[in-house]
Amino acid sequence: MTAPPEGYAPHPHIGGRTAALRALAAWRMEWPGAPRVVLVTGGPGSGSSRLVTGFLMLCDPEYRKRLPLDAMDPSTVPPDLPAP
């Protein structure tokens, strides 16, 4: 698990994983140069399912309301769009 950048709170359910959350947020935001397809891999127990679950929490309009989005690194928080 990676430490969050200074001044930002980690995701409340998955801790750090800042680089992975940034990549997923870029994919969701469709930033120029962001991949069109993202593959999350990892062996059993690596946390890949937990990472995807945590990211989907950020994408769900109802669940987002329960997360401290203002305290989190803005590059890890996808825009408020309809749920994927």
Side-chain angles (χ1 to χ4, degrees):
M1 180 162 45
T2 60
E6 289 298 317
Y8 293 118
H11 188 291
H13 298 283
I14 60 173
R17 310 291 293 264
T18 304
L21 284 173
R22 274 193 191 123
L24 290 169
W27 166 78
R28 179 80 168 136
M29 289 183 223
E30 298 180 357
W31 282 346
R36 291 181 55 190
V37 176
V38 175
L39 179 65
V40 178
T41 64
S46 68
S48 56
S49 295
R50 190 168 176 100
L51 173 65
V52 171
T53 301
F55 180 70
L56 290 176
M57 289 176 185
L58 293 169
C59 293
D60 183 332
E62 289 301 313
Y63 204 90
R64 288 173 69 92
K65 296 174 187 175
R66 297 186 244 165
L67 297 172
L69 300 179
D70 292 336
M72 295 172 66
D73 182 350
S75 68
T76 65
V77 179
D80 190 11
L81 298 170

